[in-house]
Amino acid sequence: MGSSQAAGLSVVVLGGTGSLGRRVGEVFDAEGARVLTVSRAPAAEVPGGRHIRLDLTREPSARLAGVLAGAGADVVVNAAGLAWGGAEEDLAAANAGLVRGLVEAVAVLERRPRLIQLGTVHEYGPAAPGTAITEGLPCAPRSAYGRTKLLGAEAVLRAARAGAVDATVLRIANVHGPGAPRSSLLGRVAHHLAEAARGGAGEAALRLAPLDARRDFVDIRDVGQAVLAAATAPRPSVTGAWIVNIGSGRAAPVRELVERMIALSGLDVPLVEEDRARPECRPGAPAVGGADWQLMDISAARRLLGWRPRYRADRSLRDQLVAAGLPPDRVSRTVRAGGGRVRSVGKGRAER
């Protein structure tokens, strides 16, 4: 379906001030949709210029139903939720309880909008190395994040298959690129390097948990286009597109991505891989929930949504560095000069 179909649509983005929500709002706004963002955080500047501050984990579903009805919503995108660092009960409230309330709110509307739930590859849990994760893979998440996101997805899928809502769950790979979450592994790396370039970090060592995993990464801009495609695709009840994987279809070595980002920065920053058990290393650990291998089968996205990823990893890493604050001319000079020097220390690996 052509993206011009989004022009004039009323699109409500829940969690619209977060990384993914903001990108989704920008995509729809650029296509001529009328965008309303909803989040518990205040927003000085949002795509479309319309924002409602609302804590969806505390408000009854009737309150949200009123917001959706008042907006005349044609599409509702749920980008709200909690990723890492919270207690499991907080994750459950944000990733499952909020979604159940959303489903109830959409189901009672006289004019039901298309609902797009932004899920995660972590709902699947570990996969055997060398295999592609298909939408039919039984889910067995090991992390609290994956478990609670799965509960939310299941609430959407039950209602969709029962005909109570018109909905699709997009299970999204790890996100990188400009505007990707600062709390993610590559987000932490990009901001550390940007701070070092400003002289604030003194080019101190970059300390992370072991980077042995191979993960599927997708550019945040490609995710925005996938949501747009899902919003304008035929009904899932016709196509069977209840769940659609959004990724690159490649299992990228995480260590190589980190080393490439350091090289692109042009900085001489030691990379130190430390014991996974140390608390300060956990935020950067790539093997969350035991998922050391992730490669998503994205053939359904191509077939049902007409979507495919367009941004290559090197472009994503470059643009993420610039968005984090590294001067663009420095990155471009680094690329032409062949990059900086990576010194990997720890786990018996030699410097180079």
Side-chain angles (χ1 to χ4, degrees):
M1 291 285 179
S3 61
S4 61
Q5 288 181 307
L9 291 179
S10 173
V11 179
V12 178
V13 183
L14 308 183
T17 56
S19 298
L20 277 177
R22 180 174 291 276
R23 173 61 59 179
V24 168
E26 289 170 351
V27 167
F28 279 102
D29 186 51
E31 293 294 327
R34 294 175 287 116
V35 178
L36 170 67
T37 58
V38 180
S39 73
R40 62 184 174 185
E45 193 174 319
V46 292
R50 298 190 301 154
H51 177 74
I52 293 178
R53 189 176 182 184
L54 193 66
D55 187 345
L56 297 171
T57 63
R58 298 179 180 274
E59 295 286 348
S61 61
R63 174 78 171 93
L64 178 56
V67 170
L68 300 179
D74 298 299
V75 177
V76 178
V77 181
N78 182 30
L82 185 62
W84 311 105
E88 186 149 1
E89 55 267 29
D90 297 325
L91 290 164
N95 298 334
L98 182 155
V99 181
R100 286 192 289 267
L102 170 59
V103 169
E104 292 173 3
V106 171
V108 300
L109 295 176
E110 184 176 347
R111 180 172 169 272
R112 292 178 188 168
R114 171 75 55 89
L115 171 59
I116 301 171
Q117 165 72 8
L118 302 192
T120 172
V121 63
H122 296 287
E123 293 170 34
Y124 289 114
T131 63
I133 298 172
T134 68
E135 289 84 353
L137 181 73
C139 293
R142 292 184 181 174
S143 67
Y145 173 61
R147 288 192 297 270
T148 56
K149 287 292 288 185
L150 178 60
L151 289 173
E154 288 174 339
V156 172
L157 294 169
R158 281 194 302 270
R161 288 168 175 152
V165 297
D166 170 23
T168 294
V169 174
L170 300 182
R171 285 198 172 133
I172 300 167
N174 305 281
V175 175
H176 61 0
R182 181 169 181 162
S183 59
S184 67
L185 171 65
L186 294 180
R188 291 180 62 221
V189 174
H191 283 275
H192 180 94
L193 294 172
E195 184 68 16
R198 289 190 294 267
E203 300 198 8
L206 178 60
R207 299 181 182 277
L208 301 171
L211 301 172
D212 300 319
R214 298 175 71 96
R215 292 281 195 89
D216 198 317
F217 283 84
V218 63
D219 191 284
I220 192 169
R221 293 164 291 194
D222 282 326
V223 174
Q225 292 299 318
V227 176
L228 175 64
T232 55
R235 287 180 175 272
S237 57
V238 174
T239 63
W242 309 108
I243 307 169
V244 181
N245 287 342
I246 302 299
S248 66
R250 177 175 176 263
V254 174
R255 183 179 296 112
E256 289 184 12
L257 289 177
V258 172
E259 291 180 342
R260 180 57 178 158
M261 188 173 268
I262 295 172
L264 288 170
S265 75
L267 297 167
D268 183 15
V269 174
L271 171 60
V272 181
E273 297 178 43
E274 298 182 312
D275 185 356
R276 190 190 309 276
R278 292 181 62 181
E280 63 269 28
C281 298
R282 289 180 184 170
V288 177
D292 290 314
W293 170 272
Q294 291 174 344
L295 185 156
M296 302 189 86
D297 182 335
I298 56 174
S299 58
R302 292 193 185 101
R303 185 177 70 255
L304 300 173
L305 305 182
W307 175 90
R308 63 180 179 84
R310 297 184 179 275
Y311 288 88
R312 295 184 178 273
D314 228 40
R315 170 73 181 276
S316 299
L317 297 177
R318 257 180 261 169
D319 292 349
Q320 187 164 357
L321 281 169
V322 172
L326 206 75
D329 60 336
R330 176 169 190 145
V331 176
S332 62
R333 285 200 307 270
T334 299
V335 174
R336 289 195 296 271
R341 179 169 177 255
V342 180
R343 292 183 285 133
S344 295
V345 183
K347 298 190 68 183
R349 302 184 65 239
E351 295 187 8
R352 60 182 178 86

